[in-house]
């Protein structure tokens, strides 16, 4: 689809990862042939997670490149209609140093969770959850990108004119770091997308919040992981408001899409779990 958009790829930044991913899939085929199904699963989920992450970047930039009118006022209006005061919420977080630091760490756990959790699920014998987590993330990114075509937004930090110097503990970095890329892809006649400089530029729906739900759901099948991951991902969803500059409705929409994606995937694979391979101590999808 890219030839019909203003976006071209910086091939070196994108294609440089392909030899490593090709090696992962080659190893997966070899390990499957040797009957080493557990190790094959590790190659599968890692290779697919990397590819989907790169594809998600392209989808998100393509969505914003259509440069439809900014939706910040509409999103703020929806927040107000729900009784949510963004500035009051941010000031509460800013007034609690330990909470502000914990939420900043939770926000940054996004990519670590996406890469490590599927691997851990496969190792622990919950391969269907690992596969579904990666697939669900891909569907979440695709859905959020399509919806975001009509809801490009600068985020609450900018729309509400929050002065970074006025914040004592809340780190506003991610509320502003994406703006250069956001404006560049909207305003340029043509845009070269580099994976090295790319940023998360979607506001509505929140991919961070949707991913938080997906990770918490995937980990809930493992008793020792369930509550630590639930707590971490509640933090990641909340931090998308305070640190990621999202509106409250962004969070609701991201979680809603994630719930729908999980339901669709479960319906699609019901009765077909055995096709995922002979994993040790297989566990059903719930």
């Amino acid at each position: 689809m890219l030839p019909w958009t203003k976006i071209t790829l910086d091939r070196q930044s994108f294609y440089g990862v392909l030899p490593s991913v090709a090696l992962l899939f080659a190893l997966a085929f070899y390990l499957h042939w040797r009957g080493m199904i557990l190790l094959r699963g590790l190659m599968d989920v890692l290779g697919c997670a990397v590819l989907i992450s790169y594809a998600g970047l392209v989808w998100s930039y393509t969505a914003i490149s259509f440069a439809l009118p900014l939706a910040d006022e509409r999103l703020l209006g929806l927040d107000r209609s729900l009784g949510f005061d963004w500035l009051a919420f941010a000031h509460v977080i800013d007034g609690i140093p330990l909470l502000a630091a914990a939420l900043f760490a939770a926000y940054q756990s996004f990519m670590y969770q996406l890469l490590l959790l599927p691997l851990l699920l496969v190792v622990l014998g919950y391969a269907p959850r690992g596969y579904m987590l990666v697939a669900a993330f891909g569907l979440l990114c695709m859905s959020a990108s399509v919806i975001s075509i009509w809801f490009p937004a600068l985020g609450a930090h900018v729309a509400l004119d929050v002065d970074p110097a006025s914040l004592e503990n809340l780190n506003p970095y991610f509320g502003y770091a994406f703006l250069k890329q956001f404006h560049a892809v909207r305003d340029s006649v043509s845009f070269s997308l580099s994976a090295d400089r790319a940023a998360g530029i979607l506001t509505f729906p929140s991919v961070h919040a949707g991913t938080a739900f997906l990770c918490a759901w995937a980990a809930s099948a493992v008793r020792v992981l369930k509550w630590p991951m639930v707590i971490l991902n509640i933090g990641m969803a909340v931090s998308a408001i305070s640190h990621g500059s999202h509106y409250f409705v962004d969070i609701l929409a991201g979680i809603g899409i994630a719930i729908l994606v999980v339901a669709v995937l479960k319906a699609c694979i019901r009765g077909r779990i055995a096709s995922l391979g002979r994993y040790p101590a297989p566990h059903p999808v719930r």
Side-chain angles (χ1 to χ4, degrees):
M1 296 176 62
L2 285 178
W4 287 274
T5 74
K6 67 168 72 173
I7 294 176
T8 57
L9 297 184
D10 177 344
R11 297 191 177 192
Q12 184 174 359
S13 69
F14 274 87
Y15 297 171
V17 75
L18 292 182
S20 298
V21 174
L23 178 60
L24 288 174
F25 288 130
L27 285 171
F29 281 113
Y30 172 76
L31 292 166
H32 181 79
W33 175 64
R34 292 293 304 270
M36 303 168 73
I37 303 300
L38 176 63
L39 293 177
R40 187 207 84 184
L42 296 177
M43 303 301 108
D44 282 342
V45 295
L46 182 57
C48 287
V50 171
L51 283 181
I52 288 173
S53 296
Y54 275 70
L57 285 177
V58 178
W59 297 333
S60 64
Y61 273 75
T62 301
I64 300 303
S65 74
F66 287 99
L68 268 65
L70 293 174
D72 290 275
E73 285 301 319
R74 283 184 286 161
L75 298 174
L76 272 172
L78 289 171
D79 268 13
R80 294 187 184 110
S81 69
L82 293 171
F84 184 80
D85 186 332
W86 194 96
L87 284 174
F89 178 82
H91 283 307
V92 169
I93 303 298
D94 188 49
I96 309 174
L98 186 60
L99 179 59
L103 290 176
F104 187 65
Y107 190 86
Q108 292 180 295
S109 73
F110 176 84
M111 190 54 66
Y112 297 106
Q113 289 195 67
L114 275 177
L115 293 177
L116 297 178
L117 182 56
L119 297 175
L120 185 57
L121 289 168
V122 171
V123 169
L124 295 176
Y126 293 83
R129 287 281 176 122
Y131 278 86
M132 287 181 69
L133 173 56
V134 174
F137 175 67
L139 291 175
L140 170 68
C141 289
M142 184 184 296
S143 303
S145 296
V146 172
I147 294 170
S148 289
I149 293 173
W150 292 275
F151 294 92
L154 298 172
H157 280 94
V158 176
L160 294 172
D161 197 24
V162 177
D163 181 2
S166 69
L167 301 173
E168 296 182 7
N169 300 296
L170 196 158
N171 189 326
Y173 172 79
F174 292 106
Y176 296 94
F178 75 99
L179 291 175
K180 183 177 180 179
Q181 289 284 294
F182 181 87
H183 288 302
V185 72
R186 277 175 60 86
D187 300 339
S188 302
V189 176
S190 62
F191 181 82
S192 177
L193 174 56
S194 169
D196 300 329
R197 296 191 298 272
I201 60 175
L202 301 186
T203 298
F204 180 92
S206 169
V207 174
H208 254 77
T211 302
F213 174 84
L214 293 178
C215 290
W217 168 80
S220 66
V222 187
R223 183 175 302 176
V224 71
L225 293 179
K226 180 177 179 178
W227 291 113
M229 291 297 292
V230 166
I231 293 170
L232 171 61
N233 284 291
I234 289 174
M236 188 161 81
V238 171
S239 71
I241 301 174
S242 57
H243 292 72
S245 197
H246 282 282
Y247 303 103
F248 182 58
V249 289
D250 302 344
I251 308 307
L252 297 181
I255 292 174
I257 293 172
I259 292 172
L260 180 61
V261 163
V262 169
V264 169
L265 283 175
K266 289 171 71 172
C268 289
I269 70 168
R270 186 171 289 121
R272 298 189 177 95
I273 298 300
S275 67
L276 291 176
R278 302 182 305 280
Y279 291 88
H283 298 274
V285 172
R286 298 192 300 277

